[in-house]
Amino acid sequence: MSADPLNRAGTPQRRTSSQPPSGSGASAIEVRRSARRRRTVSAYREGDRTVVLIPARMSEAEEQRWVSVMLDKLAAQESKRVLGDAELSERAERLSAQYFGGRARPTSVRWVTNQNTRWGSCTPSEGSIRLSHRLQGMPEYVVDYVLVHELAHLLVPGHGPRFWRLLEAYPRTERARGYLEGVVAADRLPHLPDAREE
């Protein structure tokens, strides 16, 4: 039996996959069309993919528009979700299994409020990882990148070539680094008076 609840006997379905628009958090988009679905559109993350469920009768133009709308909605939902320390530890465990074969085993993973110049830190001798509270509310792929970065330090303490080779396993490294660089650059911009004051 199929794990897909929409893929029932007598329910024709067409699936298409594509690359996401730049700036989205997912590495691939899968559109599933269903004859049973009349008006509603929904989307969810499935690993590194985003699955968008749409009615079979939609045109290609409507499909593209709805994929864009649903990607924006998912990103907004993810940016509001704040992980607790226990969830952060579970996430680190999953990321270690996925990208490092489970070799990076932190003894603790937690949020801290005393890191204002770093996104995260790791003490390999203790096995502890700390993430700055400033990451809370950022897209999940950015938080995952910082976790993967700190997990890699449990295997390679410095920032040499071996360390950066480890990070190549995470597919959104460059995108996440760009996001964080943008946040830092925005913080350094001069704050102009509010336009309403004119």
Side-chain angles (χ1 to χ4, degrees), residues 128-141:
S128 62
I129 291 175
R130 294 159 306 281
L131 264 58
S132 171
H133 72 287
R134 296 177 305 139
L135 288 164
Q136 293 174 337
M138 289 189 188
E140 288 185 3
Y141 75 93

Side-chain angles (χ1 to χ4, degrees), residues 6-68:
L6 294 174
N7 194 9
R8 298 184 186 96
T11 307
Q13 205 173 42
R14 183 171 68 89
R15 297 180 183 202
T16 57
S17 294
S18 63
Q19 291 305 310
S22 61
S24 86
S27 60
I29 299 163
E30 180 179 324
V31 177
R32 296 181 186 168
R33 290 175 172 262
S34 170
R36 292 177 65 102
R37 189 173 280 268
R38 297 284 179 225
R39 285 181 291 232
T40 60
V41 176
S42 61
Y44 59 92
R45 303 279 193 216
E46 189 175 81
D48 281 346
R49 292 181 306 158
T50 300
V51 178
V52 181
L53 308 170
I54 65 172
R57 62 172 176 69
M58 273 194 182
S59 70
E60 293 295 319
E62 287 175 310
E63 175 182 316
Q64 287 179 3
R65 184 177 71 81
W66 276 106
V67 165
S68 179

Side-chain angles (χ1 to χ4, degrees), residues 147-160:
L147 274 173
V148 169
H149 184 109
E150 301 309 333
L151 286 165
H153 279 308
L154 292 175
L155 304 173
V156 179
H159 285 104

Side-chain angles (χ1 to χ4, degrees), residues 69-134:
V69 166
M70 297 313 289
L71 287 174
D72 289 346
K73 279 189 174 186
L74 281 175
Q77 288 169 357
E78 289 169 353
S79 70
K80 289 178 186 168
R81 185 166 179 260
V82 176
L83 302 172
D85 287 350
E87 291 172 303
L88 206 55
S89 290
E90 290 169 12
R91 193 173 202 92
E93 189 177 322
R94 282 195 310 272
L95 291 167
S96 175
Q98 185 173 0
Y99 297 110
F100 305 127
R103 293 179 299 134
R105 295 187 187 106
T107 55
S108 69
V109 182
R110 61 191 175 90
W111 295 109
V112 293
T113 57
N114 62 351
Q115 289 190 41
N116 294 315
T117 58
R118 294 190 230 180
W119 297 113
S121 62
C122 173
T123 307
S125 61
E126 297 173 3
S128 62
I129 291 175
R130 294 159 306 281
L131 264 58
S132 171
H133 72 287
R134 296 177 305 139

